[in-house]
Amino acid sequence: MSRPTIVVSSVRERLPTGFGDLDCTRLISEYTDILYCVGAQPVILPVTDRPPSELLANTDALVLTGGGDINPALYDQDEDPSVYGIRSDRDTFEAALYHNAIALGLPIFAICRGMQLVNVLRGGTLVQHVEGHWQPADPAKPFHRVEIEAGSLLSAATGEAAEFAVNSYHHQSLGELGHGLKVTARCGEVVEAVESRDADLIAVQWHPELMASTDRLQRALFEDFVQRAANR
Ligand code: MN
């Protein structure tokens, strides 16, 4: 079986280089490591302010990755002082990726910032700052438990567990839910996962890529995603 091609979004950031400070494309390797490991061909796509119309031609699925905050203007709010890392060029580029993937019916796995972006693109809002969801150390270790909605794609992908433990690296959370989304995992009042009634989409607030090498259920999320990509 040939490996499904999976586009992975990336960070565009000003960093020091041998040529001075320049915009660079950056992504932690855990995303592509686990995708290779479970049989996919990952392709990191750099941000451009001129996205071609055929962005996801010859692609089988899309991962929307973690990163800095989404511009609150996209959900009609003023910026809280805690907001960091806004890159409107990334917001716009990932919106184009998302809409392309939806139009093509591709499976989408949206992680952390990716979940927040999907919610905003569907007309939802974010809570701009929450306490208690940024763990002090070791991203491979779980930090809090999440309760899983029975009958969800998330539940099916993770062996129908009623709850499991995840890491936590977010200072924002979903507010008003976007159109067509349903909550599939919670930690108290905080939404930790959603999926869609009208698209092949799993979105999680934690970072499964950082746990996947040591945690069977988090690895299973990637195996399930790549299988759905391969079955298209
Ligand atoms: Mn959390």
Side-chain angles (χ1 to χ4, degrees), residues 1-202:
M1 191 184 79
S2 68
R3 288 173 170 253
T5 299
I6 299 192
V7 160
V8 185
S9 70
S10 60
V11 182
R12 182 170 174 132
E13 189 174 44
R14 204 85 174 159
L15 291 173
T17 76
F19 314 104
D21 287 357
L22 290 175
D23 268 9
C24 295
T25 296
R26 180 176 70 71
L27 188 70
I28 59 168
S29 300
E30 277 76 3
Y31 292 104
T32 50
D33 286 348
I34 185 61
L35 286 168
Y36 276 125
C37 188
V38 299
Q41 171 67 62
V43 176
I44 297 172
L45 217 55
V47 172
T48 170
D49 55 10
R50 291 179 190 162
S53 56
E54 303 284 311
L55 261 179
L56 294 177
N58 307 313
T59 301
D60 297 304
L62 171 67
V63 178
L64 292 170
T65 55
D69 292 336
I70 292 159
N71 192 336
L74 293 179
Y75 47 96
D76 293 326
Q77 288 184 12
D78 295 331
E79 197 176 311
D80 183 89
S82 67
V83 166
Y84 77 96
I86 289 181
R87 285 292 301 228
S88 289
D89 51 356
R90 184 181 182 194
D91 293 345
T92 303
F93 181 72
E94 287 188 326
L97 281 179
Y98 170 78
H99 291 305
N100 260 260
I102 291 289
L104 295 168
L106 303 186
I108 300 170
F109 193 9
I111 295 173
C112 198
R113 166 195 158 86
M115 178 170 100
Q116 296 173 355
L117 182 74
V118 167
N119 194 54
V120 167
L121 293 175
R122 285 171 170 259
T125 63
L126 302 181
V127 178
Q128 291 192 41
H129 188 68
V130 293
E131 297 288 343
H133 281 264
W134 199 289
Q135 72 192 62
D138 200 343
K141 292 255 167 61
F143 184 64
H144 66 63
R145 303 191 75 76
V146 288
E147 292 174 34
I148 311 301
E149 189 72 27
S152 61
L153 291 177
L154 178 66
S155 170
T158 51
E160 300 182 358
E163 58 167 45
F164 50 75
V166 300
N167 58 12
S168 196
Y169 287 94
H170 55 109
H171 86 106
Q172 300 193 327
S173 66
L174 298 205
E176 194 180 317
L177 207 59
H179 302 299
L181 296 178
K182 61 173 184 174
V183 175
T184 59
R186 285 182 193 276
C187 173
E189 293 297 299
V190 173
V191 173
E192 287 279 343
V194 296
E195 57 195 47
S196 164
R197 303 174 197 280
D198 52 36
D200 188 347
L201 165 77
I202 290 182

